Amino acid sequence: MLNVKPGWKNWQLLTEKGRHIWAFKPSSNNINHHLQNAEAISDQEIAQLQEDFLFDKSNNPNSGDKVFRASAIAANFDEFTGRLPRLPFKAQKIADSLIKGINYYARLQSDDGHWPGDYGGPLFLLPGLLVASYISGTPFPKAHQEMMKLYLFNHQNKDAGWGMHIEGESTMFGTVMQYVSLRILGVDKNHEALLKARDWIQNNGGVTGIPSWGKFYLSTLNLYDWQGFNSLFPEMWLFPKWLPFHPSRYWCHSRMVYLPMAYCYAQRIKVPENEFILSLRDELYGDTFATIDWPKQRNALCPNDNYTKLSPVLKWMNLFTNSYEKVSCSWLRKKALAYILRYLNAEDAQTDYIDIGPVNKAINSICIWHAYGSESEPFKKHVARWYDYLWVAEDGMKMNGYNGSQLWDTAFATRAILESDLGKLFPETIQKSYRFIDLSQIKAEHSTHAEFFRHPMIGCWPFSTTENGWPVADCTAEGLSATLATHASGLVNPVIDEQRIEQAVDSILSYQNKDGGWATYELTRAPKWLEKLNPSEVFADIMIDYSWTECTAACVIALLEIQEAYPDYKTNLIHQAIKAGLQFILKQQKADGSWYGAWAVCFTYATWFAVEAISKAKGKGYFNESILIDSTNKACVFLIGKQKADGGWGETFESCSKLVYSEAETSQVVNTAWAVLTLMVADFKDNNVIDAGVNLLLSRQTDTGDWLQEKISGVFNYNCMITYANYRNIFPIWALNRYYNQIIQE
Ligand code: LAN
């Protein structure tokens, strides 16, 4: 059973239409009044938090989302008591585990139908928000500050530094940003943890080796000189749109981050020197700050942070843009700034101030504060949304990697539960999740969508909520698959009508790239060479939106399902799209039979997606059947080669960053579930292999029906990991449910 600490109970998650806000001792469920008691926290309550949010990172740096789960379970007593008719012994055991597992998981579902969960992991996000709060003079309430401190302390590594993410080794980016954050939060400079962190910084070459995103934040804090930052050439936003390197062709996340960064750079935004800043300079640089040759630091980089080498082309370009700064024409700069500000306002309006993600959320806040002041309406709207990104778990308060993974998890959970008829024992759960899926499908375009390069989105689903509203290709596919599965179950009144289904299909078709694959939020808009201009030393493949195996597979699967459910709808177009998609997937397969996963850890993830799509296409007249069979056979051979002695599979995040399968010491339930799902859908004939995987899943289930949080499961841009708290339930349930389906048919 969960050992629920008293201090946890002071924090409560309020949700509304997918929106998440953690409140300190809220007096009501009204999400708009969540701050009522956060400033009035007593010393005694603070002491309690300090005791109850102590977290031992050395065991497992991943928190188990225990604060949320304990309160959700306590609030939902109504245990499911139904039993299946007597089944053959083997099936009974699986059914019991499944019922326990789904029953537990159903109790975590919020009233609006989605599954909330921790989406932390990266360690460079909360610092951005704290920088915004410091610069704008808008501190978080005391209770929040206390919890943030706890989080940052809890994630300090043994060597006194911090990583890019909670499992990572210490980097300059991680260490300096958490150091500054703790200071902004009021921690004394002589605190032991900070003294040690300063040593780490010194011993690893000093602050100037921080990567460019860190240089950016430090410059705004006046803890680094803008002259030591490569120009972001704000005028590029005035380039003619047909140019292949116009920024509208960047991957939307890069576009939306470099946009506000360019604004801050053009304005050289920096807080005035004050006692605190002068002290921080002293702490970080000793007395050298005044004598640093800033332009020489532009490409300085701590070796621990070096993931992507800056290309010679970029260095040449920097030479030009940095020189241009000396002669830049003020009229053009003004025009560029006006354009950027208009774009920032449009992004804020389109997302109701949530913004596309955690990075531009923080930087846009800084720009809007600078442009309009802290008393302005738009700035206040920004601040109100800061809280949408904060999450409380037993390791403290963190900033999530998005405003949540609401739609994504709900779609997966729905499909996992409905994998067999056993899911029909949970009609209320499915009715609720369907309501959320219905609510989340995007129903209108923004008036400024074309002006600001947005892909048409009516009929799409987003990753999180409609308010965030950025459509994603594979989220649309998952939303559609979940809708079809729910309709087929007969458990709901199908309010997502044919027209809306057709809109979803049309948007999936509109998202297909020329290479046959599907990317994330938009089509691939520029050639691959644009990657040479990637200025971030810490991420790879961020410049354009590439086709990915997983995204492609999700879209192919949804289209194959549409072919079955609506055989007359755009038959030929869909057939062509599937064929090109399959070709793309087949091309991505590695010689060892695996696929590399870009959005979760890692080979077991993408291999599951790919094999699912290929297997579903079998027998439907795509290619010579043997090509498909060979491919899935090879994938099975790959997987059996990686099975551990205990029957499970386990990968570490290094699979993602190093691009080779990195075996974890212990089996991981999430990887095991993906492998088992893959082998079953590929119709792998050796039952012993599958049985052993299933047994591992059964043996790891807790008495309550949960599974423990193991290693981190998610990733982006190869090098930063991200938590998917729901995966430990969704995928074991899915795998067991598929297994159940097979054995009752035997
Ligand atoms: C996500 C989360 C979801 C993810 C999937 C849907 C799983 C994937 O199949 C497609 C890509 C997508 C939508 C995705 C892209 C990158 C995101 C938005 C994230 C991993 C969540 C956070 C990350 C974002 C880029 C973090 C901010 C960091 C920057 C480098 C800007």
Side-chain angles (χ1 to χ4, degrees):
M1 277 314 274
L2 266 180
N3 175 14
V4 182
K5 310 256 176 80
W8 295 359
K9 294 187 182 157
N10 285 340
W11 286 95
Q12 218 177 299
L13 180 70
L14 308 179
T15 60
E16 191 181 87
K17 294 187 184 162
R19 186 178 184 191
H20 295 151
I21 305 259
W22 281 92
F24 180 74
K25 292 176 81 172
S27 346
S28 74
N29 281 338
N30 188 331
I31 212 161
N32 297 313
H33 300 153
H34 67 100
L35 287 176
Q36 248 166 11
N37 300 315
E39 195 53 51
I41 185 170
S42 69
D43 290 347
Q44 200 191 348
E45 283 165 336
I46 289 182
Q48 184 82 54
L49 294 185
Q50 286 169 348
E51 195 178 318
D52 292 346
F53 285 88
L54 258 191
F55 175 81
D56 181 7
K57 174 173 196 183
S58 65
N59 248 342
N60 180 356
N62 297 277
S63 49
D65 220 358
K66 292 182 185 167
V67 181
F68 161 65
R69 290 183 171 214
S71 86
I73 292 294
N76 297 308
F77 291 116
D78 46 334
E79 207 150 335
F80 177 84
T81 48
R83 277 262 164 246
L84 285 173
R86 279 186 58 80
L87 295 161
F89 176 69
K90 198 169 158 195
Q92 186 73 55
K93 197 166 128 199
I94 302 296
D96 286 347
S97 158
L98 266 171
I99 286 178
K100 206 161 81 173
I102 302 175
N103 184 38
Y104 167 84
Y105 194 53
R107 289 157 83 189
L108 303 184
Q109 191 180 25
S110 76
D111 292 341
D112 60 24
H114 86 284
W115 274 270
D118 190 336
Y119 200 50
L123 290 177
F124 63 93
L125 304 176
L126 186 57
L129 203 57
L130 287 168
V131 170
S133 102
Y134 180 77
I135 293 185
S136 64
T138 321
F140 282 96
K142 239 164 121 185
H144 293 67
Q145 294 205 26
E146 213 41 56
M147 292 289 286
M148 291 173 178
K149 270 188 247 174
L150 289 166
Y151 177 71
L152 298 175
F153 281 133
N154 279 331
H155 285 284
Q156 188 169 26
N157 286 337
K158 273 216 178 76
D159 65 2
W162 283 265
M164 265 288 274
H165 55 89
I166 55 174
E167 284 196 13
E169 284 175 18
S170 302
T171 60
M172 194 58 74
F173 192 21
T175 306
V176 173
M177 292 316 296
Q178 318 308 310
Y179 182 96
V180 171
S181 299
L182 283 165
R183 293 286 286 124
I184 290 176
L185 290 167
V187 177
D188 191 274
K189 67 176 181 189
N190 293 320
H191 189 291
E192 207 191 324
L194 294 195
L195 287 173
K196 287 189 184 154
R198 288 215 289 275
D199 282 344
W200 190 95
I201 294 169
Q202 290 313 317
N203 295 338
N204 286 278
V207 179
T208 53
I210 196 169
S212 53
W213 287 28
K215 288 177 165 61
F216 168 80
Y217 285 122
L218 293 182
S219 301
T220 62
L221 287 174
N222 215 340
L223 296 174
Y224 188 90
D225 196 300
W226 280 114
Q227 285 187 65
F229 182 76
N230 283 314
S231 167
L232 289 177
F233 196 47
E235 285 76 4
M236 76 175 174
W237 290 93
L238 303 176
F239 282 165
K241 305 210 168 54
W242 49 262
L243 280 175
F245 47 86
H246 185 274
S248 63
R249 298 171 190 273
Y250 293 2
W251 184 41
C252 55
H253 275 283
S254 291
R255 181 165 90 233
M256 301 318 290
V257 166
Y258 283 107
L259 179 81
M261 270 193 185
Y263 183 89
C264 296
Y265 174 72
Q267 302 276 15
R268 304 293 197 275
I269 294 179
K270 57 179 176 187
V271 290
E273 283 177 9
N274 60 32
E275 222 176 289
F276 173 64
I277 296 296
L278 290 177
S279 170
L280 263 173
R281 280 191 194 164
D282 217 44
E283 295 157 38
L284 293 171
Y285 296 91
D287 53 8
T288 62
F289 190 83
T291 58
I292 291 173
D293 180 347
W294 292 105
K296 276 213 169 116
Q297 310 308 321
R298 287 177 186 150
N299 296 336
L301 186 62
C302 173
N304 305 39
D305 294 61
N306 190 359
Y307 187 70
T308 300
K309 253 200 160 48
L310 301 192
S311 75
V313 183
L314 180 65
K315 287 188 181 164
W316 275 104
M317 225 189 63
N318 283 338
L319 213 62
F320 164 77
T321 54
N322 290 331
S323 312
Y324 172 79
E325 284 305 306
K326 294 181 199 139
V327 295
S328 81
C329 152
S330 69
W331 172 79
L332 256 186
R333 175 95 355 145
K334 253 200 188 138
K335 203 169 158 196
L337 271 170
Y339 177 82
I340 293 175
L341 191 58
R342 217 150 47 81
Y343 197 163
L344 293 174
N345 279 317
E347 158 76 349
D348 288 348
Q350 289 173 352
T351 60
D352 206 355
Y353 291 82
I354 295 169
D355 296 338
I356 192 175
V359 180
N360 82 328
K361 171 66 205 159
I363 311 179
N364 280 25
S365 301
I366 298 176
C367 301
I368 295 303
W369 161 79
H370 185 268
Y372 307 116
S374 50
E375 288 309 309
S376 65
E377 269 318 295
F379 182 70
K380 286 185 183 157
K381 285 186 180 164
H382 251 292
V383 174
R385 288 292 191 182
W386 286 354
Y387 298 88
D388 291 46
Y389 281 90
L390 299 176
W391 189 263
V392 173
E394 69 270 27
D395 53 351
M397 179 178 269
K398 60 197 78 180
M399 185 174 187
N400 275 341
Y402 216 69
N403 68 321
S405 48
Q406 292 86 331
L407 181 278
W408 185 250
D409 287 331
T410 305
F412 271 158
T414 306
R415 294 178 64 202
I417 295 170
L418 291 178
E419 176 75 20
S420 83
D421 275 352
L422 186 138
K424 293 190 184 163
L425 294 170
F426 297 85
E428 291 97 9
T429 310
I430 297 300
Q431 280 148 12
K432 268 165 75 178
S433 71
Y434 183 67
R435 244 182 286 146
F436 188 73
I437 292 167
D438 168 29
L439 175 86
S440 307
Q441 192 183 18
I442 299 171
K443 298 173 185 81
E445 302 293 352
H446 300 295
S447 54
T448 51
H449 88 275
E451 184 183 358
F452 293 108
F453 323 113
R454 296 281 301 260
H455 192 91
M457 62 183 194
I458 292 179
C460 289
W461 274 274
F463 179 67
S464 56
T465 58
T466 27
E467 283 177 315
N468 160 283
W470 272 85
V472 184
D474 61 342
C475 296
T476 304
E478 295 301 340
L480 183 57
S481 290
T483 301
L484 296 178
T486 309
H487 288 179
S489 76
L491 294 175
V492 300
N493 171 29
V495 290
I496 303 179
D497 59 19
E498 216 159 285
Q499 187 194 359
R500 285 172 60 188
I501 287 177
E502 288 174 4
Q503 286 169 343
V505 176
D506 291 352
S507 54
I508 292 176
L509 293 173
S510 78
Y511 264 124
Q512 189 169 29
N513 280 321
K514 289 206 179 80
D515 64 9
W518 275 265
T520 65
Y521 295 74
E522 289 161 350
L523 289 163
T524 306
R525 295 178 174 181
K528 167 94 179 107
W529 60 257
L530 206 67
E531 201 55 49
K532 297 252 181 276
L533 304 187
N534 174 2
S536 93
E537 306 86 339
V538 295
F539 303 114
D541 285 0
I542 63 164
M543 293 306 288
I544 57 172
D545 208 338
Y546 296 88
S547 292
W548 299 105
T549 301
E550 305 99 290
C551 305
T552 305
C555 293
V556 166
I557 292 165
L559 292 178
L560 284 163
E561 287 167 353
I562 281 292
Q563 271 189 331
E564 281 168 31
Y566 297 87
D568 298 330
Y569 188 63
K570 296 196 175 170
T571 315
N572 286 338
L573 265 180
I574 291 177
H575 185 91
Q576 290 306 323
I578 292 172
K579 195 168 163 202
L582 287 169
Q583 240 152 4
F584 176 84
I585 295 172
L586 291 168
K587 232 171 79 190
Q588 298 300 309
Q589 188 170 23
K590 306 207 161 292
D592 66 3
S594 71
W595 281 264
Y596 173 80
W599 306 106
V601 182
C602 176
F603 291 92
T604 46
Y605 180 66
T607 302
W608 166 57
F609 263 109
V611 172
E612 197 88 24
I614 296 170
S615 305
K616 218 177 161 46
K618 285 180 189 165
K620 294 185 179 157
Y622 292 100
F623 317 115
N624 181 341
E625 193 76 359
S626 66
I627 295 178
L628 304 183
I629 294 172
D630 280 355
S631 165
T632 59
N633 281 349
K634 263 173 78 183
C636 293
V637 170
F638 166 78
L639 285 176
I640 11 180
K642 301 295 179 197
Q643 191 173 28
K644 286 173 161 291
D646 64 4
W649 282 259
E651 273 186 272
T652 75
F653 75 83
E654 281 164 328
S655 281
C656 308
S657 53
K658 296 188 173 153
L659 286 81
V660 285
Y661 192 93
S662 305
E663 188 162 331
E665 273 172 32
T666 52
S667 293
Q668 305 288 306
V669 292
V670 174
N671 296 127
T672 303
W674 288 331
V676 165
L677 281 164
T678 310
L679 292 168
M680 284 190 281
V681 80
D683 208 12
F684 184 65
K685 292 294 177 222
D686 184 352
N687 282 338
N688 292 331
V689 172
I690 295 170
D691 288 352
V694 165
N695 282 335
L696 183 106
L697 296 177
L698 294 175
S699 73
R700 291 273 175 95
Q701 194 177 26
T702 70
D703 292 343
T704 56
D706 193 7
W707 280 267
L708 296 182
Q709 177 62 45
E710 300 171 336
K711 290 185 184 301
I712 201 153
S713 306
V715 61
F716 53 89
N717 309 131
Y718 299 76
N719 198 32
C720 192
M721 306 305 137
I722 188 160
T723 301
Y724 281 86
N726 281 295
Y727 281 10
R728 73 188 212 231
N729 302 93
I730 292 172
F731 291 107
I733 288 173
W734 203 333
L736 291 173
N737 217 359
R738 181 168 291 174
Y739 188 73
Y740 172 80
N741 218 8
Q742 287 195 352
I743 54 180
I744 53 166
Q745 279 165 21
E746 268 166 17

